[in-house]
Amino acid sequence: MFDVLLSIWHQDFDALMETVSIYHLMLILALILFLESSFVFLPLPGDGLVLFVGGLVGLGVVELQLAIALLTVAAGLGSFIAYMQGRWLSHHPMVNKIEKGLPDNTLQRASDLLEKYGFLALFFSRFIPFVRVLTPMLMGIRKLGVKRTVLMSVTSALIWTTTLLFIGQWVMNNPC
């Protein structure tokens, strides 16, 4: 595992192309994406990471199907964990204090908008690092349906990762 990190640091793509190293690398990157999608205060590079993997796909180092599957699961599961944090935080006194400091019916209006435009909100929030975690967390605080939120999380994660992977692959294959 340490060899993979050294290969990344030294940009040794020959060492990274070894099969064992690729799987270790992909697991490390999926873990980073999972953590970035789960916790608000972790400033990790989710978008850049997916673009990087897209570049590796363009180089032929990583299989596209593996990248899509692994990164979609990591991002979708991360959103679900953020949703569950929101459910847990909904009973926390801090949320009540924040709600009292907001204008009247702000959270209710946000809840109504998430109920109506939940998928679009989750999808577009994926492209904004801090908001990527806050949207599913707010869905959890407002106790929107679990099944619907999981479906929206996985679907938006699939579209987001696939889009960024193809962009990264295209950039690697078509340098300026």
Side-chain angles (χ1 to χ4, degrees):
M1 199 68 96
F2 186 70
D3 295 338
V4 173
L5 295 175
L6 280 177
S7 298
I8 293 170
W9 185 260
H10 295 292
Q11 298 178 3
D12 184 2
F13 293 109
D14 292 330
L16 284 175
M17 291 181 75
E18 295 176 18
T19 305
V20 174
S21 295
I22 289 301
Y23 292 122
H24 287 153
L25 173 67
M26 289 302 295
L27 287 175
I28 291 169
L29 296 176
L31 177 64
I32 292 170
L33 186 61
F34 166 75
L35 292 173
E36 191 264 347
S37 299
S38 301
F39 302 103
V40 174
F41 300 107
L42 289 178
L44 299 172
D47 298 308
L49 182 143
V50 180
L51 289 168
F52 170 72
V53 174
L56 292 177
V57 169
L59 290 173
V61 175
V62 176
E63 294 177 25
L64 180 62
Q65 294 83 4
L66 172 69
I68 290 172
L70 196 58
L71 297 181
T72 297
V73 168
L77 190 58
S79 291
F80 177 71
I81 296 299
Y83 171 81
M84 293 308 292
Q85 288 175 39
R87 297 273 309 218
W88 178 75
L89 284 173
S90 66
H91 302 294
H92 197 275
M94 177 186 68
V95 173
N96 292 333
K97 287 180 184 178
I98 292 171
E99 189 172 352
K100 287 178 184 175
L102 295 172
D104 291 340
N105 296 328
T106 301
L107 284 181
Q108 184 58 45
R109 285 192 317 246
S111 179
D112 293 343
L113 286 172
L114 286 173
E115 189 70 40
K116 187 173 181 180
Y117 302 109
F119 175 76
L120 290 173
L122 259 176
F123 176 72
F124 287 117
S125 72
R126 288 213 177 268
F127 292 93
I128 307 168
F130 186 70
V131 179
R132 181 178 10 257
V133 180
L134 286 180
T135 303
M137 192 175 285
L138 183 58
M139 291 174 134
I141 288 172
R142 297 311 296 169
K143 296 182 178 159
L144 298 180
V146 176
K147 290 179 185 178
R148 184 170 177 235
T149 303
V150 168
L151 180 64
M152 288 187 298
S153 292
V154 172
T155 305
S156 67
L158 175 66
I159 296 168
W160 176 70
T161 56
T162 304
T163 301
L164 291 180
L165 284 170
F166 280 129
I167 290 170
Q169 181 182 16
W170 183 84
V171 167
M172 189 56 70
N173 289 331
N174 301 300
C176 297

